[in-house]
Amino acid sequence: MRPTLAALTQHSALRLRVRAGEDRLDTEVRWAHTSEMTDPTPFLDGGELLLTIGLKLPVDELDAMRAYVARLTAAGVVGLGFGVGVNHPEVTPELLQAVREAGLPLLEVPQRTPFIAISKAVSAAIAAEQYRTVTAGFAAQRELTRAAVSPEGPQALLTRLAAQVDGWAALCDRSGAVTAVAPGWAARRAGRLAEEVRRLGDRPAPASTVCAVPAEDGGPPGADRVELQMVGTGQRDRAVLAIGTAAPLGTTGRYAVQAAVALLTLVTERSLAYQLAESRLGGAVLRMLLSGEPDHARAVAGQLYGGLLDAPLRVVAVEGAEPAALTALGQAIEGAAARAGESVLAAPDGEGLVLLLADGGGAVAACLDHASKSGDGVVVGLSAPTGLAGVDAGYQQAREALLVARRRGDTLVEHDNVAVGSVLPLLGDEAVRAFADGMLRSLREHDKSGRGDLLASLRAWLSRHGQWDAAAADLGVHRHTLRYRMRRVEEILDRSLDDPDLRMELWLALKASGVAARRYPRA
């Protein structure tokens, strides 16, 4: 805070006397300037205490003094210091009336107080205030730095920052979701800034904006002035720092915010580097599990993913119409996992993703919720719960569920809703024939329409254990033709031929229904 008129009047060495404007002495003084010009305003910047002995002023003319004072107030002069005993023995009644009408404080300066002493006092007070501000700013930076490197990291930094600005602080990801906040009551206020955060996140770095958010129950009353500052330099690691205060930030608060932005940028970028390294390691662990090497996967994972590998697991297969849709789902899952203290393993899978999640955890719930609500073209297949040794089989289940979801036009299918039906209870001959008739009816009706020989092609393919070239040679068709027919079989049955149970049931149904093998003696 700069020196005020009141502080100058209380300066014992200056011996200033207040003659007008007693109710405005708390006004800050930006500088003290001396001028004997009748119109010094072209040389003023506003906020000055103007000092004069009235050398060229018609101080006995009321209209002239009114015009003079009006020019000063219009230029932003905060006070007039009038020296007596040099050119005028006292403040004239006309000048006194003019300043009182305008509400401009007037300080009477005795002859023994040189104007330079007043200028020095103002300058010294400003320098002292600047020193205090810089010192406080450095202290704030030290506190924030210690908080940033503490185990609590960003949360501790936000707590310190909120105290320093006498308000609240929150860190949001690019979607607008609040990832950390201090104090806790500000979470709802910060959550209402999602749209503003998303707009800021799309702008080139660095960027900032100021907005307002009304108060809600659970926190102090009144509307907040909220400043949003972009954190991070790249697209992927961007976040937004929100600072809510009742009034614009002062110099010390500004230092604190700038330090917080710099520290959070360093922390998030360092965290991103760690996350990328962990992601590569997690992808390697997941690929080992999918390859049926659980022992090797556990050895590589060490303690980093030990908690996940010891839990019941779900394998998730994901495909999306656009890469951005997959990214959004991945962020939703990772965010939920972080809040729940869970680990996630993920790896590219063709044009999609495969993930390994803890069964029943927050990440699975976020995956199900996002897939059911997003409408962004994401398709998800979810395996049945499995253990570490069954991850490779769980992957096949997830892929099968994904295939069924895609064919049905659904966004999500769980394997438990796909792998149904069994021939084990069908022990009698009549039961077997009835099962076979129901199993193959849709394929038989398709063949009657003359649109392809699906039953015979299916028999040849099953008899060759899915070997395309051998089965196509048996049929006397190109392997691409056979592949097309098998896709039609999957579409009609709404099930995947990758399911060994389905292949077994179809083979039994073909045998029981007597589909001719005369054209394919090796079947």
Short mmCIF file of all heavy atoms in Angstrom, two decimals, residues 291-340:
data_model
loop_
_atom_site.label_atom_id
_atom_site.label_comp_id
_atom_site.label_asym_id
_atom_site.label_seq_id
_atom_site.Cartn_x
_atom_site.Cartn_y
_atom_site.Cartn_z
N SER A 291 -0.17 -62.04 -23.46
CA SER A 291 0.55 -63.13 -24.12
C SER A 291 0.62 -64.38 -23.24
O SER A 291 1.29 -65.35 -23.60
CB SER A 291 1.97 -62.68 -24.47
OG SER A 291 1.96 -61.58 -25.34
N GLY A 292 -0.07 -64.36 -22.11
CA GLY A 292 -0.08 -65.53 -21.23
C GLY A 292 1.18 -65.69 -20.42
O GLY A 292 1.59 -66.83 -20.14
N GLU A 293 1.83 -64.58 -20.03
CA GLU A 293 3.05 -64.64 -19.24
C GLU A 293 2.87 -63.88 -17.92
O GLU A 293 3.52 -62.87 -17.65
CB GLU A 293 4.22 -64.04 -20.02
CG GLU A 293 4.49 -64.72 -21.35
CD GLU A 293 5.62 -64.07 -22.12
OE1 GLU A 293 6.35 -63.26 -21.51
OE2 GLU A 293 5.76 -64.35 -23.30
N PRO A 294 1.98 -64.36 -17.05
CA PRO A 294 1.71 -63.62 -15.81
C PRO A 294 2.90 -63.53 -14.87
O PRO A 294 3.08 -62.51 -14.19
CB PRO A 294 0.56 -64.41 -15.18
CG PRO A 294 0.65 -65.78 -15.77
CD PRO A 294 1.16 -65.59 -17.16
N ASP A 295 3.74 -64.56 -14.82
CA ASP A 295 4.90 -64.51 -13.92
C ASP A 295 5.89 -63.44 -14.35
O ASP A 295 6.42 -62.69 -13.52
CB ASP A 295 5.58 -65.88 -13.88
CG ASP A 295 4.70 -66.94 -13.23
OD1 ASP A 295 3.80 -66.56 -12.44
OD2 ASP A 295 4.89 -68.13 -13.52
N HIS A 296 6.16 -63.37 -15.65
CA HIS A 296 7.07 -62.35 -16.15
C HIS A 296 6.47 -60.96 -15.94
O HIS A 296 7.18 -60.01 -15.59
CB HIS A 296 7.34 -62.57 -17.64
CG HIS A 296 8.18 -63.76 -17.91
ND1 HIS A 296 8.31 -64.34 -19.16
CD2 HIS A 296 8.95 -64.52 -17.09
CE1 HIS A 296 9.10 -65.38 -19.09
NE2 HIS A 296 9.52 -65.51 -17.84
N ALA A 297 5.16 -60.84 -16.16
CA ALA A 297 4.49 -59.55 -15.98
C ALA A 297 4.61 -59.08 -14.54
O ALA A 297 4.89 -57.91 -14.28
CB ALA A 297 3.03 -59.67 -16.39
N ARG A 298 4.41 -59.97 -13.59
CA ARG A 298 4.52 -59.59 -12.18
C ARG A 298 5.94 -59.17 -11.83
O ARG A 298 6.16 -58.22 -11.08
CB ARG A 298 4.07 -60.73 -11.28
CG ARG A 298 4.06 -60.35 -9.81
CD ARG A 298 3.60 -61.50 -8.93
NE ARG A 298 2.18 -61.75 -9.09
CZ ARG A 298 1.23 -61.03 -8.50
NH1 ARG A 298 1.56 -59.99 -7.74
NH2 ARG A 298 -0.03 -61.32 -8.67
N ALA A 299 6.92 -59.85 -12.39
CA ALA A 299 8.31 -59.51 -12.10
C ALA A 299 8.65 -58.12 -12.63
O ALA A 299 9.34 -57.34 -11.97
CB ALA A 299 9.24 -60.55 -12.72
N VAL A 300 8.13 -57.78 -13.80
CA VAL A 300 8.41 -56.46 -14.39
C VAL A 300 7.64 -55.37 -13.64
O VAL A 300 8.15 -54.28 -13.40
CB VAL A 300 8.04 -56.45 -15.89
CG1 VAL A 300 8.12 -55.03 -16.45
CG2 VAL A 300 8.96 -57.39 -16.65
N ALA A 301 6.41 -55.67 -13.25
CA ALA A 301 5.57 -54.67 -12.59
C ALA A 301 6.12 -54.27 -11.24
O ALA A 301 6.00 -53.11 -10.82
CB ALA A 301 4.15 -55.20 -12.44
N GLY A 302 6.74 -55.20 -10.53
CA GLY A 302 7.28 -54.90 -9.21
C GLY A 302 6.19 -54.39 -8.28
O GLY A 302 5.05 -54.87 -8.29
N GLN A 303 6.53 -53.38 -7.49
CA GLN A 303 5.57 -52.80 -6.56
C GLN A 303 4.67 -51.76 -7.21
O GLN A 303 3.65 -51.38 -6.64
CB GLN A 303 6.30 -52.16 -5.38
CG GLN A 303 7.09 -53.15 -4.54
CD GLN A 303 7.78 -52.47 -3.37
OE1 GLN A 303 7.85 -51.26 -3.30
NE2 GLN A 303 8.31 -53.28 -2.45
N LEU A 304 5.05 -51.29 -8.39
CA LEU A 304 4.30 -50.21 -9.03
C LEU A 304 2.86 -50.61 -9.31
O LEU A 304 1.92 -49.84 -9.08
CB LEU A 304 5.00 -49.79 -10.33
CG LEU A 304 4.41 -48.59 -11.05
CD1 LEU A 304 4.42 -47.36 -10.16
CD2 LEU A 304 5.19 -48.33 -12.34
N TYR A 305 2.67 -51.80 -9.83
CA TYR A 305 1.33 -52.27 -10.16
C TYR A 305 0.93 -53.51 -9.36
O TYR A 305 -0.01 -54.20 -9.72
CB TYR A 305 1.24 -52.60 -11.66
CG TYR A 305 1.41 -51.40 -12.55
CD1 TYR A 305 2.57 -51.23 -13.29
CD2 TYR A 305 0.42 -50.43 -12.63
CE1 TYR A 305 2.74 -50.11 -14.10
CE2 TYR A 305 0.58 -49.31 -13.44
CZ TYR A 305 1.73 -49.17 -14.17
OH TYR A 305 1.90 -48.06 -14.97
N GLY A 306 1.68 -53.75 -8.28
CA GLY A 306 1.40 -54.95 -7.49
C GLY A 306 -0.01 -54.99 -6.96
O GLY A 306 -0.68 -56.04 -6.97
N GLY A 307 -0.53 -53.85 -6.47
CA GLY A 307 -1.88 -53.82 -5.93
C GLY A 307 -2.93 -54.19 -6.96
O GLY A 307 -3.89 -54.91 -6.67
N LEU A 308 -2.75 -53.72 -8.18
CA LEU A 308 -3.70 -54.05 -9.24
C LEU A 308 -3.65 -55.53 -9.60
O LEU A 308 -4.69 -56.18 -9.75
CB LEU A 308 -3.40 -53.20 -10.48
CG LEU A 308 -4.23 -53.53 -11.74
CD1 LEU A 308 -5.71 -53.24 -11.49
CD2 LEU A 308 -3.73 -52.73 -12.93
N LEU A 309 -2.45 -56.07 -9.72
CA LEU A 309 -2.30 -57.46 -10.16
C LEU A 309 -2.77 -58.46 -9.11
O LEU A 309 -3.03 -59.62 -9.45
CB LEU A 309 -0.84 -57.73 -10.54
CG LEU A 309 -0.26 -56.84 -11.65
CD1 LEU A 309 1.12 -57.30 -12.04
CD2 LEU A 309 -1.18 -56.82 -12.86
N ASP A 310 -2.89 -58.03 -7.87
CA ASP A 310 -3.38 -58.92 -6.81
C ASP A 310 -4.90 -58.91 -6.70
O ASP A 310 -5.47 -59.71 -5.95
CB ASP A 310 -2.78 -58.51 -5.46
CG ASP A 310 -1.29 -58.79 -5.40
OD1 ASP A 310 -0.84 -59.70 -6.12
OD2 ASP A 310 -0.59 -58.10 -4.64
N ALA A 311 -5.57 -58.01 -7.42
CA ALA A 311 -7.02 -57.86 -7.28
C ALA A 311 -7.74 -58.60 -8.39
O ALA A 311 -7.15 -58.93 -9.43
CB ALA A 311 -7.38 -56.37 -7.34
N PRO A 312 -9.04 -58.90 -8.20
CA PRO A 312 -9.85 -59.38 -9.33
C PRO A 312 -9.83 -58.33 -10.43
O PRO A 312 -9.90 -57.13 -10.16
CB PRO A 312 -11.24 -59.56 -8.73
CG PRO A 312 -11.01 -59.68 -7.26
CD PRO A 312 -9.82 -58.85 -6.95
N LEU A 313 -9.76 -58.78 -11.66
CA LEU A 313 -9.51 -57.87 -12.77
C LEU A 313 -10.62 -57.91 -13.80
O LEU A 313 -11.35 -58.89 -13.91
CB LEU A 313 -8.17 -58.23 -13.45
CG LEU A 313 -6.95 -58.23 -12.54
CD1 LEU A 313 -5.78 -58.89 -13.23
CD2 LEU A 313 -6.59 -56.80 -12.13
N ARG A 314 -10.70 -56.84 -14.58
CA ARG A 314 -11.56 -56.79 -15.77
C ARG A 314 -10.70 -56.32 -16.94
O ARG A 314 -9.94 -55.36 -16.81
CB ARG A 314 -12.71 -55.80 -15.58
CG ARG A 314 -13.77 -56.24 -14.59
CD ARG A 314 -14.72 -57.27 -15.17
NE ARG A 314 -15.87 -57.46 -14.30
CZ ARG A 314 -17.13 -57.25 -14.68
NH1 ARG A 314 -17.39 -56.86 -15.91
NH2 ARG A 314 -18.12 -57.44 -13.83
N VAL A 315 -10.87 -56.99 -18.07
CA VAL A 315 -10.20 -56.55 -19.30
C VAL A 315 -11.23 -55.77 -20.11
O VAL A 315 -12.37 -56.21 -20.28
CB VAL A 315 -9.66 -57.74 -20.10
CG1 VAL A 315 -8.92 -57.24 -21.35
CG2 VAL A 315 -8.74 -58.59 -19.24
N VAL A 316 -10.82 -54.62 -20.61
CA VAL A 316 -11.71 -53.75 -21.38
C VAL A 316 -11.12 -53.53 -22.76
O VAL A 316 -9.95 -53.13 -22.89
CB VAL A 316 -11.89 -52.38 -20.68
CG1 VAL A 316 -12.86 -51.50 -21.48
CG2 VAL A 316 -12.39 -52.57 -19.26
N ALA A 317 -11.90 -53.81 -23.79
CA ALA A 317 -11.50 -53.53 -25.17
C ALA A 317 -12.33 -52.34 -25.66
O ALA A 317 -13.55 -52.33 -25.49
CB ALA A 317 -11.75 -54.75 -26.05
N VAL A 318 -11.67 -51.37 -26.25
CA VAL A 318 -12.33 -50.12 -26.63
C VAL A 318 -11.99 -49.78 -28.07
O VAL A 318 -10.84 -49.91 -28.50
CB VAL A 318 -11.87 -48.96 -25.71
CG1 VAL A 318 -12.63 -47.69 -26.05
CG2 VAL A 318 -12.05 -49.31 -24.25
N GLU A 319 -12.99 -49.35 -28.80
CA GLU A 319 -12.79 -48.76 -30.11
C GLU A 319 -13.59 -47.48 -30.18
O GLU A 319 -14.63 -47.35 -29.52
CB GLU A 319 -13.22 -49.72 -31.23
CG GLU A 319 -12.31 -50.91 -31.40
CD GLU A 319 -12.73 -51.81 -32.55
OE1 GLU A 319 -13.78 -51.52 -33.16
OE2 GLU A 319 -12.02 -52.78 -32.84
N GLY A 320 -13.11 -46.50 -30.97
CA GLY A 320 -13.82 -45.23 -31.10
C GLY A 320 -13.81 -44.73 -32.51
O GLY A 320 -12.90 -45.03 -33.29
N ALA A 321 -14.83 -43.97 -32.86
CA ALA A 321 -14.92 -43.41 -34.20
C ALA A 321 -13.81 -42.40 -34.44
O ALA A 321 -13.30 -42.26 -35.55
CB ALA A 321 -16.29 -42.76 -34.42
N GLU A 322 -13.41 -41.66 -33.42
CA GLU A 322 -12.38 -40.64 -33.53
C GLU A 322 -11.35 -40.82 -32.41
O GLU A 322 -11.71 -41.23 -31.31
CB GLU A 322 -13.00 -39.24 -33.44
CG GLU A 322 -14.00 -38.90 -34.52
CD GLU A 322 -13.35 -38.75 -35.88
OE1 GLU A 322 -12.11 -38.54 -35.91
OE2 GLU A 322 -14.06 -38.87 -36.90
N PRO A 323 -10.07 -40.50 -32.69
CA PRO A 323 -9.07 -40.59 -31.61
C PRO A 323 -9.42 -39.75 -30.40
O PRO A 323 -9.12 -40.14 -29.27
CB PRO A 323 -7.79 -40.07 -32.30
CG PRO A 323 -8.01 -40.31 -33.76
CD PRO A 323 -9.49 -40.14 -33.98
N ALA A 324 -10.07 -38.60 -30.63
CA ALA A 324 -10.43 -37.74 -29.50
C ALA A 324 -11.40 -38.44 -28.56
O ALA A 324 -11.38 -38.21 -27.35
CB ALA A 324 -11.05 -36.43 -30.01
N ALA A 325 -12.28 -39.30 -29.12
CA ALA A 325 -13.24 -40.02 -28.28
C ALA A 325 -12.51 -41.01 -27.39
O ALA A 325 -12.84 -41.16 -26.20
CB ALA A 325 -14.26 -40.74 -29.16
N LEU A 326 -11.51 -41.70 -27.94
CA LEU A 326 -10.72 -42.63 -27.12
C LEU A 326 -9.95 -41.87 -26.04
O LEU A 326 -9.85 -42.32 -24.91
CB LEU A 326 -9.75 -43.40 -28.01
CG LEU A 326 -10.34 -44.42 -28.98
CD1 LEU A 326 -9.24 -45.03 -29.82
CD2 LEU A 326 -11.09 -45.51 -28.22
N THR A 327 -9.43 -40.70 -26.41
CA THR A 327 -8.69 -39.90 -25.43
C THR A 327 -9.59 -39.47 -24.28
O THR A 327 -9.20 -39.52 -23.11
CB THR A 327 -8.08 -38.66 -26.11
OG1 THR A 327 -7.19 -39.09 -27.15
CG2 THR A 327 -7.32 -37.81 -25.10
N ALA A 328 -10.81 -39.04 -24.62
CA ALA A 328 -11.75 -38.60 -23.58
C ALA A 328 -12.09 -39.74 -22.64
O ALA A 328 -12.15 -39.56 -21.41
CB ALA A 328 -13.02 -38.05 -24.23
N LEU A 329 -12.32 -40.93 -23.19
CA LEU A 329 -12.62 -42.09 -22.34
C LEU A 329 -11.42 -42.42 -21.46
O LEU A 329 -11.56 -42.69 -20.26
CB LEU A 329 -13.01 -43.29 -23.19
CG LEU A 329 -13.23 -44.60 -22.42
CD1 LEU A 329 -14.37 -44.45 -21.42
CD2 LEU A 329 -13.51 -45.75 -23.37
N GLY A 330 -10.22 -42.41 -22.07
CA GLY A 330 -9.02 -42.71 -21.29
C GLY A 330 -8.82 -41.73 -20.15
O GLY A 330 -8.47 -42.11 -19.04
N GLN A 331 -9.08 -40.43 -20.39
CA GLN A 331 -8.95 -39.43 -19.34
C GLN A 331 -9.97 -39.63 -18.24
O GLN A 331 -9.67 -39.47 -17.05
CB GLN A 331 -9.09 -38.03 -19.94
CG GLN A 331 -7.91 -37.63 -20.81
CD GLN A 331 -8.12 -36.28 -21.48
OE1 GLN A 331 -9.25 -35.77 -21.56
NE2 GLN A 331 -7.05 -35.69 -21.98
N ALA A 332 -11.20 -40.00 -18.63
CA ALA A 332 -12.24 -40.25 -17.63
C ALA A 332 -11.86 -41.42 -16.74
O ALA A 332 -12.02 -41.39 -15.51
CB ALA A 332 -13.58 -40.50 -18.31
N ILE A 333 -11.33 -42.48 -17.35
CA ILE A 333 -10.94 -43.67 -16.58
C ILE A 333 -9.75 -43.36 -15.68
O ILE A 333 -9.74 -43.70 -14.50
CB ILE A 333 -10.61 -44.83 -17.54
CG1 ILE A 333 -11.88 -45.31 -18.25
CG2 ILE A 333 -9.95 -45.99 -16.80
CD1 ILE A 333 -11.64 -46.36 -19.30
N GLU A 334 -8.73 -42.69 -16.23
CA GLU A 334 -7.55 -42.37 -15.44
C GLU A 334 -7.89 -41.42 -14.29
O GLU A 334 -7.35 -41.56 -13.18
CB GLU A 334 -6.48 -41.75 -16.34
CG GLU A 334 -5.88 -42.77 -17.32
CD GLU A 334 -4.87 -42.12 -18.23
OE1 GLU A 334 -4.60 -40.92 -18.06
OE2 GLU A 334 -4.34 -42.81 -19.12
N GLY A 335 -8.76 -40.44 -14.57
CA GLY A 335 -9.16 -39.52 -13.50
C GLY A 335 -9.87 -40.23 -12.38
O GLY A 335 -9.60 -39.99 -11.19
N ALA A 336 -10.81 -41.13 -12.74
CA ALA A 336 -11.53 -41.88 -11.71
C ALA A 336 -10.58 -42.80 -10.94
O ALA A 336 -10.70 -42.95 -9.72
CB ALA A 336 -12.65 -42.70 -12.36
N ALA A 337 -9.64 -43.41 -11.65
CA ALA A 337 -8.68 -44.29 -10.98
C ALA A 337 -7.81 -43.51 -10.01
O ALA A 337 -7.53 -43.96 -8.89
CB ALA A 337 -7.81 -45.00 -12.02
N ALA A 338 -7.38 -42.31 -10.42
CA ALA A 338 -6.55 -41.49 -9.54
C ALA A 338 -7.31 -41.10 -8.27
O ALA A 338 -6.76 -41.13 -7.17
CB ALA A 338 -6.07 -40.24 -10.29
N ARG A 339 -8.58 -40.72 -8.45
CA ARG A 339 -9.38 -40.33 -7.27
C ARG A 339 -9.62 -41.51 -6.34
O ARG A 339 -9.74 -41.33 -5.13
CB ARG A 339 -10.71 -39.73 -7.73
CG ARG A 339 -10.57 -38.36 -8.39
CD ARG A 339 -11.92 -37.72 -8.62
NE ARG A 339 -12.68 -38.41 -9.64
CZ ARG A 339 -12.60 -38.15 -10.94
NH1 ARG A 339 -11.77 -37.21 -11.37
NH2 ARG A 339 -13.34 -38.80 -11.81
N ALA A 340 -9.70 -42.72 -6.91
CA ALA A 340 -9.95 -43.91 -6.10
C ALA A 340 -8.66 -44.58 -5.63
O ALA A 340 -8.72 -45.59 -4.92
CB ALA A 340 -10.80 -44.91 -6.89
#
